[in-house]
Amino acid sequence: MRATIQDVARRAGVSIGTVSNALSGKRPVAVETRQRILAAMDELGYHPNLLARGLVNQRSHVLSIVIKELSDLGLYGYSSALTGIQREANELGYSIMLHFVNGSTEDEIINTLNQISARRADGIIWAIHEIDGNREWVRHTLTGNYPPIIFLHMHPDPALNVVTIDNQAGASLAVAHLIEQGCRTIGIITGPADWWESKARLAGWRQTLEQAGLDTDVSLVLEGNWLAESGKNCMETLLNQRPDIDAVFACNDSMALGAIHTACRRGLSIPDDLLLVGYDNTPEVASYWPPLTSVSQGLLQSGQIAVEQLHQIIEAGVNQPVAPRQHIIQPELVIRRSSICEKKA
Amino acid sequence: MRATIQDVARRAGVSIGTVSNALSGKRPVAVETRQRILAAMDELGYHPNLLARGLVNQRSHVLSIVIKELSDLGLYGYSSALTGIQREANELGYSIMLHFVNGSTEDEIINTLNQISARRADGIIWAIHEIDGNREWVRHTLTGNYPPIIFLHMHPDPALNVVTIDNQAGASLAVAHLIEQGCRTIGIITGPADWWESKARLAGWRQTLEQAGLDTDVSLVLEGNWLAESGKNCMETLLNQRPDIDAVFACNDSMALGAIHTACRRGLSIPDDLLLVGYDNTPEVASYWPPLTSVSQGLLQSGQIAVEQLHQIIEAGVNQPVAPRQHIIQPELVIRRSSICEKKA
DNA sequence: TTGTATGCGTTATCAA
DNA sequence: TTGATAACGCATACAA
């Protein structure tokens, strides 16, 4: 069996309370006594039982991260945000529990929330991407008796704590850059239409083009599913129905990869015949051929901020409620050869 | 405050023990009483405190997954394995706790193990890739008083429980295929030399070539770091020092992407001038240009098996020790255009 | 400065 | 079939 505080106390010839004080430091302990206790802990290989400690302290020092589905983890966004979360959580002394949700059915959501609650997590980072109808289940998180929740990468909402990225601005950055390169007819390959990110990026594309008085016809808009394969297909269709395009904005890098594939297959050269911009700025895009211009989101940062903010709320406690805050991160454009018009240069 | 079993008992007008029996079903409860209890639980929104339950049961139903570093999560291997783990864990009623280790210093390893132990996880999946000297710290996991451990993706060891993939066989598959396509001079871009995977894949390359009586000179071996950027550079060097090569085996898909980049830059056509095979078979390789032949590892499966096996050991309990088992998964080759020699066809 | 006793929310062992 | 009561391992208020 593993050593308990009892064992340590006996071994050191002191009372159980003194041992507790020795390692918490909340009450003074004679220096000589502490020595003996420390030695005893060492010899016994003692480590406090965090379940017991959590029980009495009403504080588990666990943060629950909820992400959507499993294979989605491969999506660059999740890994990056998780990395940021991990770093900050580690800094602040939290452990991380990972929860997965497949669909977004109400039952599943509630089950997950209940499980988190049952485990007495101190806080939740809700990183499920928002899709149509989700506003519905978000309400559940408010009515039940749950720990504080931060919504990651969602549409801002004054009633909620959200840390998110300005997707519309990111798309604008990309499109404005293409316009500046002299492009006039710019197609877009979006993510799934029901994702919030997709809508925001599409809106950025549309708004920027409209401001410049350029074409935003539906024939320029193709809906992909974030995967490279869909980028291939969308590009195919796009080139067929709009042979006049001179640039494409792919809403993530994988789909941009697919777009490159199709361009190659049809003997089109990027950037000579067509400019291309992606989204995410994954480490790989610099090795695409040609190197891909892309929008960097600051996902690492978003994860970190989410934990920071959650921590503040937790520390404040239930009696000292913190007003909901929106934290919106501005993305940046990283320019590479795929979007540099040679003719212009 | 959240409702406790006490509250439910009071509300239903029964004793606390009866409530416990009602939801565990371990002792019979009058059907009418159970109704009342269920109703009370519902009204109060009661969910058992899993910390308390874990404390008394000596069983947390938590599995700790240890992975190396943070940004590494982007590496396809981790996400896939984690997905497999998640699925099976969910099936068997475990929650997942994620632990990150940056370096592999002894201190860090021990700290992590102690934290896991302190949280009373039921089992550990050690998914830190094995690099030089790791055999050293692995011993720590054996001496201390820790929950059962499964080593994921490590060199098999009869004294340990390991679930892993036959990397040497995977590399052989790739190289044999290239030889069959008529290649005679086959270069390799490896991962970091101190990773077990790198060594195994290199060994597979060497052995297969030697069996065929082909060149395995060191000038054919370039060391990358798994990232696409390194693939670019290695390919550059390789082409310079061995202009006679007719194929390259890149030890993961990202580096293969970099290799394609360099080939393009130098005006070389794949597969016309040079055949190429990658490793991992990520979803994206079908959208590379050309589509990349790659080795599929069955990572999802490995994660799942690891959980299964861990579960068995946990269920068996300390008194009924299960003999260590090695589970070795065989990879498969997925052939695409990058490795199909047109001349031969 | 240290020891004792009580409670955190469960489960399990007794009696009733 | 049900109700008290003792653990589980720790923290803390109170007494010494």
Side-chain angles (χ1 to χ4, degrees):
Chain A
M1 284 311 292
R2 277 183 271 230
T4 74
I5 220 176
Q6 281 276 18
D7 303 327
V8 177
R10 241 193 302 276
R11 191 90 161 77
V14 296
S15 89
I16 178 176
T18 308
V19 176
S20 179
N21 295 334
L23 54 75
S24 76
K26 294 199 177 175
R27 302 253 165 249
V29 170
V31 77
E32 190 268 344
T33 313
R34 132 168 294 121
Q35 298 275 314
R36 235 167 344 121
I37 293 176
L38 256 38
M41 296 201 316
D42 206 51
E43 291 167 38
L44 269 48
Y46 168 78
H47 296 284
N49 183 331
L50 263 32
L51 295 180
R53 185 178 277 181
L55 187 60
V56 40
N57 283 346
Q58 309 278 45
R59 192 102 145 54
S60 62
H61 283 275
V62 166
L63 258 32
S64 277
I65 319 299
V66 184
I67 65 181
K68 178 148 185 341
E69 239 284 287
L70 350 100
S71 48
D72 281 9
L73 233 196
L75 291 181
Y76 181 69
Y78 279 139
S79 342
S80 303
L82 196 51
T83 298
I85 289 171
Q86 189 283 318
R87 289 197 182 153
E88 193 65 21
N90 194 50
E91 200 74 25
L92 297 173
Y94 292 100
S95 290
I96 285 180
M97 197 143 246
L98 213 49
H99 301 259
F100 295 75
V101 168
N102 291 304
S104 302
T105 67
E106 230 174 272
D107 273 4
E108 225 185 334
I109 302 290
I110 295 181
N111 277 342
T112 303
L113 283 168
N114 287 343
Q115 191 189 141
I116 292 173
S117 176
R119 290 226 178 260
R120 294 298 187 268
D122 291 340
I124 303 178
I125 294 182
W126 197 259
I128 299 203
H129 287 78
E130 185 184 15
I131 59 174
D132 273 349
N134 280 15
R135 284 290 159 183
E136 203 53 44
W137 52 252
V138 164
R139 297 302 162 200
H140 284 297
T141 64
L142 299 172
T143 59
N145 196 353
Y146 301 115
I149 306 182
I150 301 273
F151 294 90
L152 198 57
H153 304 161
M154 268 185 69
H155 188 74
D157 181 329
L160 271 28
N161 277 292
V162 5
V163 175
T164 193
I165 288 162
D166 193 336
N167 277 269
Q168 178 159 355
S172 286
L173 243 42
V175 176
H177 166 67
L178 288 171
I179 294 174
E180 198 194 336
Q181 292 294 309
C183 299
R184 290 279 153 268
T185 313
I186 303 173
I188 179 171
I189 301 176
T190 73
D194 53 0
W195 284 52
W196 166 67
E197 278 93 339
S198 299
K199 289 183 208 148
R201 290 173 200 175
L202 178 59
W205 170 85
R206 189 187 311 282
Q207 188 213 20
T208 309
L209 287 179
E210 278 172 357
Q211 270 180 11
L214 296 176
D215 191 358
T216 62
D217 189 77
V218 289
S219 60
L220 289 169
V221 180
L222 272 288
E223 178 184 344
N225 67 359
W226 300 130
L227 298 179
E229 187 68 24
S230 76
K232 273 198 326 203
N233 302 334
C234 288
M235 187 66 165
E236 199 75 55
T237 310
L238 186 55
L239 289 172
N240 285 341
Q241 69 193 24
R242 291 301 297 259
D244 58 322
I245 56 169
D246 47 22
V248 172
F249 169 42
C251 285
N252 80 353
D253 291 335
S254 285
M255 296 194 298
L257 183 66
I260 292 175
H261 177 103
T262 295
C264 286
R265 208 187 59 70
R266 297 173 69 128
L268 292 173
S269 160
I270 296 172
D272 292 341
D273 300 315
L274 202 67
L275 301 197
L276 180 65
V277 175
Y279 207 102
D280 274 351
N281 196 39
T282 62
E284 308 212 320
V285 296
S287 297
Y288 285 8
W289 184 263
L292 181 70
T293 294
S294 191
V295 178
S296 172
Q297 301 213 63
L299 292 162
L300 227 113
Q301 195 193 351
S302 74
Q304 182 186 326
I305 291 173
V307 173
E308 253 173 39
Q309 195 167 330
L310 195 49
H311 176 64
Q312 280 182 25
I313 297 174
I314 293 169
E315 287 290 283
V318 226
N319 27 0
Q320 296 284 335
V322 177
R325 285 213 314 243
Q326 325 280 295
H327 206 295
I328 302 176
I329 297 171
Q330 292 303 319
E332 289 171 20
L333 185 70
V334 180
I335 298 175
R336 298 194 183 80
R337 201 155 57 75
S338 74
S339 70
I340 295 175
C341 183
E342 306 284 346
K343 305 162 211 159
K344 187 189 164 199
Chain B
M1 284 312 291
R2 280 183 269 229
T4 74
I5 218 175
Q6 280 278 17
D7 304 327
V8 176
R10 242 192 301 277
R11 190 91 161 76
V14 294
S15 90
I16 178 177
T18 308
V19 176
S20 179
N21 294 334
L23 54 73
S24 75
K26 295 198 178 179
R27 303 253 166 251
V29 170
V31 78
E32 189 267 346
T33 314
R34 134 167 293 121
Q35 298 275 314
R36 236 172 337 128
I37 293 177
L38 257 39
M41 295 201 319
D42 205 53
E43 291 166 38
L44 269 49
Y46 168 77
H47 296 283
N49 183 330
L50 263 32
L51 295 181
R53 185 177 279 182
L55 186 59
V56 42
N57 283 347
Q58 308 279 45
R59 191 99 146 57
S60 62
H61 283 273
V62 166
L63 258 32
S64 277
I65 320 297
V66 184
I67 65 181
K68 178 146 188 334
E69 240 285 285
L70 349 102
S71 49
D72 280 10
L73 233 195
L75 291 182
Y76 180 69
Y78 279 142
S79 342
S80 303
L82 196 51
T83 299
I85 289 172
Q86 189 284 318
R87 287 196 183 156
E88 193 65 20
N90 194 49
E91 200 73 28
L92 297 173
Y94 292 99
S95 290
I96 284 180
M97 197 142 245
L98 214 48
H99 300 258
F100 296 75
V101 168
N102 292 303
S104 303
T105 67
E106 230 174 272
D107 274 4
E108 225 185 332
I109 302 290
I110 294 182
N111 277 342
T112 303
L113 282 168
N114 287 342
Q115 192 190 139
I116 292 173
S117 176
R119 291 224 178 262
R120 295 298 187 268
D122 291 340
I124 303 179
I125 294 182
W126 198 260
I128 300 201
H129 286 78
E130 184 185 14
I131 58 176
D132 272 349
N134 280 15
R135 284 291 160 184
E136 205 52 44
W137 54 251
V138 164
R139 297 303 164 200
H140 285 297
T141 63
L142 298 172
T143 60
N145 196 353
Y146 302 115
I149 306 182
I150 301 273
F151 293 90
L152 198 58
H153 304 160
M154 268 184 69
H155 189 73
D157 180 330
L160 271 29
N161 277 291
V162 5
V163 175
T164 192
I165 289 161
D166 193 336
N167 277 267
Q168 178 159 355
S172 286
L173 243 41
V175 176
H177 165 68
L178 288 172
I179 294 174
E180 200 195 337
Q181 292 295 309
C183 299
R184 291 278 153 267
T185 313
I186 304 174
I188 179 171
I189 302 176
T190 74
D194 53 359
W195 284 53
W196 166 68
E197 277 93 339
S198 300
K199 287 182 212 151
R201 291 175 198 172
L202 179 59
W205 170 85
R206 189 186 312 282
Q207 189 213 20
T208 309
L209 288 180
E210 279 172 357
Q211 270 181 8
L214 297 176
D215 191 359
T216 61
D217 190 77
V218 290
S219 60
L220 290 169
V221 181
L222 273 288
E223 178 184 346
N225 66 0
W226 300 131
L227 298 180
E229 187 69 23
S230 76
K232 273 198 327 206
N233 302 333
C234 288
M235 187 66 165
E236 199 77 54
T237 311
L238 187 54
L239 289 172
N240 287 341
Q241 69 194 27
R242 291 298 298 258
D244 58 322
I245 58 169
D246 46 22
V248 172
F249 169 41
C251 285
N252 79 355
D253 292 335
S254 287
M255 296 193 297
L257 183 66
I260 293 176
H261 176 103
T262 295
C264 285
R265 208 187 59 67
R266 296 171 70 127
L268 292 173
S269 159
I270 296 174
D272 292 342
D273 301 315
L274 202 67
L275 301 197
L276 180 66
V277 175
Y279 208 103
D280 273 353
N281 196 40
T282 62
E284 308 211 321
V285 297
S287 297
Y288 285 8
W289 185 261
L292 181 69
T293 294
S294 191
V295 178
S296 173
Q297 303 213 63
L299 292 161
L300 226 112
Q301 196 194 350
S302 75
Q304 181 185 327
I305 291 173
V307 173
E308 254 174 37
Q309 194 167 331
L310 195 48
H311 176 63
Q312 281 182 25
I313 298 173
I314 294 169
E315 288 288 285
V318 225
N319 27 0
Q320 294 286 335
V322 177
R325 284 214 315 241
Q326 325 280 295
H327 206 297
I328 302 176
I329 296 171
Q330 292 304 318
E332 289 171 21
L333 184 69
V334 180
I335 298 175
R336 298 194 182 82
R337 201 155 58 75
S338 75
S339 71
I340 295 176
C341 182
E342 306 282 347
K343 305 161 212 161
K344 186 188 163 199

